[in-house]
């Protein structure tokens, strides 16, 4: 009988190979995922009175990543932060945090308590209190101002305050009134107050606006230190500052990602030059 040589040979894998593949798959499942996603936005849109402020926006930030967001005025950078933090609800799209948490189903307070801290553009510190007391208030979370300032100071709390003061370059200003800080120092104090909540993701909107050059450079170093232990998304127009951060950049335009990648590549992109850098 003639054998049909045109039919493809069916080779069943050797049992040993199957065993190896199964073992490798099992090992992979145990390994923590590389570049695990912490924040995931996909197809997000938001219209205000017929104007598409956010238009099919997608953004993925890994755990432990710092990302810089640039783009012209009105590009939707702040609105994107409003959506992540639950201040604004998107019309459509997915917004997920730490895997399966659907942020569109939670309000601002819940999202903050999940570990997403947000710094608005203007510093909002308690001017009538010292730097240290501002941090105590932030550490105490839900306790009332009086209870927070009167309650017994624990060793853990003191250590944490020392750490935060050092991180935000305010150790020497511990006893100073927050009202007497420079604009830049107030911004740092507010970052310190957010750190007191130990967020996994920190959103920072235009932190260096109004800062001196020295403060701006110190802020870049400070954020890089902070980003060693958590994810940070920072919106900024100051390109010198963004360059100092040395991280992946996303350029938004008309509520959509126009370009993404290393700063050199993004800033050489003709579309980015046209709508933003070449202004
Ligand atoms: N609550 C709102 N109601 C109506 N329009 C809004 C609202 N929030 C934002 N917008 C509009 O959405 C657009 C995007 O604004 P957004 O503040 O997000 O821009 P941005 O990229 O942060 O700009 P900038 O660099 O100037 O801070 C703007 O045209 C703004 O007027
Ligand atoms: Mg803005």
């Amino acid at each position: 009988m003639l054998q049909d040589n045109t039919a493809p040979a069916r080779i069943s894998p050797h049992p040993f190979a199957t065993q190896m593949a199964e073992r490798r798959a099992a090992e992979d499942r145990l390994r923590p995922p590389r570049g695990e996603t912490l924040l995931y936005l996909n197809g997000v849109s938001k219209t205000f009175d017929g104007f598409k402020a956010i238009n099919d926006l997608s953004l993925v930030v890994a755990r432990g990543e710092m990302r810089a967001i640039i783009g012209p005025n009105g590009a939707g950078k702040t609105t994107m932060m409003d959506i992540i933090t639950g201040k604004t609800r998107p019309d459509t799209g997915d917004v997920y945090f730490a895997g399966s948490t659907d942020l569109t189903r939670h309000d601002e307070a819940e999202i903050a308590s999940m570990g997403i801290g947000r710094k608005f553009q203007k510093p909002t510190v308690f001017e009538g209190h010292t730097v240290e007391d501002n941090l105590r208030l932030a550490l105490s979370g839900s306790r009332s101002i009086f209870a927070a300032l009167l309650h017994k100071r624990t060793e853990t709390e003191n250590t944490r305050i020392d750490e935060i003061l050092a991180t935000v370059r305010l150790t020497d200003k511990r006893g100073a009134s927050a009202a007497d800080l420079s604009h830049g120092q107030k911004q740092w104090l507010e970052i310190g107050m957010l750190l007191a909540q130990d967020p996994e993701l920190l959103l920072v909107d235009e932190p260096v606006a109004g800062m001196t050059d020295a403060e701006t450079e110190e802020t870049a170093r400070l954020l890089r230190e902070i980003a060693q232990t958590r994810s940070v998304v920072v919106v900024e127009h100051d390109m010198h500052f963004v360059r100092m951060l040395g991280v992946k950049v996303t350029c938004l335009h008309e509520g959509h990602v126009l370009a993404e990648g290393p700063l050199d590549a993004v800033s050489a992109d003709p579309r980015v030059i046209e709508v933003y850098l070449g202004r």
Side-chain angles (χ1 to χ4, degrees):
M1 206 199 257
L2 274 176
Q3 226 173 321
D4 181 6
N5 288 325
T6 58
R10 264 176 205 273
I11 303 167
S12 55
H14 189 277
F16 181 64
T18 315
Q19 236 176 37
M20 287 295 281
E22 273 168 9
R23 191 189 300 168
R24 225 173 288 127
E27 282 170 354
D28 280 345
R29 280 193 295 275
L30 289 174
R31 208 170 286 142
R34 249 174 302 172
E36 190 193 340
T37 298
L38 183 65
L39 179 69
Y40 175 90
L41 274 73
N42 186 42
V44 176
S45 295
K46 176 69 185 180
T47 301
F48 293 112
D49 310 317
F51 172 76
K52 274 209 160 182
I54 297 290
N55 187 9
D56 189 24
L57 175 65
S58 299
L59 181 85
V60 178
V61 177
R63 205 177 278 276
E65 177 184 358
M66 171 149 62
R67 177 72 58 87
I69 311 281
I70 61 170
N73 299 115
K77 304 180 298 294
T78 299
T79 307
M80 180 185 81
M81 290 194 168
D82 290 344
I83 288 172
I84 296 166
T85 55
K87 187 168 183 244
T88 296
R89 211 151 294 293
D91 301 326
T92 54
D94 303 324
V95 186
Y96 283 94
F97 178 63
S100 57
T101 306
D102 180 352
L103 293 179
T104 65
R105 292 175 179 274
H106 295 275
D107 65 25
E108 276 185 279
E110 288 166 346
I111 290 172
S113 70
M114 283 172 200
I116 300 183
R118 179 188 192 170
K119 198 192 146 344
F120 288 92
Q121 201 171 328
K122 269 188 162 172
T124 49
V125 298
F126 299 104
E127 301 247 340
H129 290 281
T130 64
V131 167
E132 178 175 351
D133 282 348
N134 268 276
L135 292 177
R136 272 186 207 290
L137 290 168
L139 270 178
S140 66
S142 56
R143 235 177 273 144
S144 78
I145 290 192
F146 286 115
L149 294 181
L150 290 175
H151 102 284
K152 203 169 158 294
R153 298 171 180 193
T154 65
E155 214 38 56
T156 339
E157 192 182 286
N158 289 335
T159 309
R160 189 81 187 99
I161 285 180
D162 290 345
E163 279 170 13
I164 297 172
L165 283 169
T167 303
V168 299
R169 281 72 170 152
L170 290 174
T171 304
D172 294 347
K173 298 284 175 185
R174 177 191 282 269
S177 165
D180 295 334
L181 297 178
S182 73
H183 169 73
Q185 290 168 331
K186 281 180 193 169
Q187 299 282 36
W188 296 343
L189 175 55
E190 199 186 354
I191 291 173
M193 292 167 77
L194 289 167
L195 291 179
Q197 308 291 321
D198 200 20
E200 246 183 298
L201 172 64
L202 193 59
L203 307 173
V204 196
D205 203 353
E206 300 195 33
V208 303
M211 281 191 184
T212 64
D213 289 350
E215 285 173 337
T216 296
E217 294 186 357
E218 200 58 42
T219 304
R221 283 189 283 271
L222 189 161
L223 287 177
R224 277 164 51 168
E225 284 167 30
I226 288 174
Q228 285 172 6
T229 51
R230 59 200 84 234
S231 302
V232 179
V233 174
V234 52
V235 167
E236 215 6 287
H237 288 291
D238 184 325
M239 284 301 131
H240 173 63
F241 169 79
V242 172
R243 183 163 294 284
M244 278 198 72
L245 293 178
V247 298
K248 185 170 170 182
V249 173
T250 299
C251 179
L252 294 193
H253 176 53
E254 297 177 343
H256 192 76
V257 174
L258 184 66
E260 196 165 82
L263 179 61
D264 284 337
V266 169
S267 55
D269 187 318
R271 295 167 307 167
V272 175
I273 294 170
E274 189 190 332
V275 306
Y276 188 47
L277 299 175
R279 292 171 307 176

